Amino acid sequence: MFLTLRLLRKGTSGKQWIGKYRRHRPVTWQMKRNMVKNLEREAENEYWISRPYMTAEQEYGHAVERRTQNWLTIKERSFVNFPEHKSLTEHLSHLRITKTWSN
């Protein structure tokens, strides 16, 4: 199709870079270089991911102390603005139930 359009000196109909009958971009040396760099980076990432930092035995329970300490600090911060406990007599003190009518 493109050969016919070239021979008849007509342009590509519609959008030339998208669609079923699009013109394809030529592959340049920069594209090849970038692809090789990306593949090398991906290979290195797979290499480092395939080797764990800790064994399964070391990993089990390694952060228990740190997590409990973090939980305690979060809990303490939440109780800072919490009101203090009051007894029942303090709640009912406004009723003055011990006063008599006559003085």
Side-chain angles (χ1 to χ4, degrees), residues 21-76:
Y21 299 108
R22 66 182 176 266
R23 277 184 53 199
H24 295 282
R25 292 176 57 198
V27 178
T28 61
W29 65 271
Q30 292 98 341
M31 291 176 169
K32 291 178 185 177
R33 181 198 59 205
N34 291 340
M35 179 62 74
V36 168
K37 277 176 45 178
N38 289 338
L39 289 173
E40 288 173 353
R41 184 184 315 125
E42 188 174 336
E44 185 179 359
N45 287 342
E46 287 180 5
Y47 171 80
W48 288 114
I49 288 173
S50 67
R51 286 155 177 75
Y53 178 72
M54 292 189 274
T55 63
E57 294 82 22
Q58 291 172 335
E59 187 176 359
Y60 179 75
H62 78 284
V64 172
E65 294 178 18
R66 179 179 51 84
R67 288 176 61 206
T68 54
Q69 189 63 33
N70 287 346
W71 168 247
L72 290 175
T73 55
I74 290 169
K75 198 164 98 174
E76 288 171 1

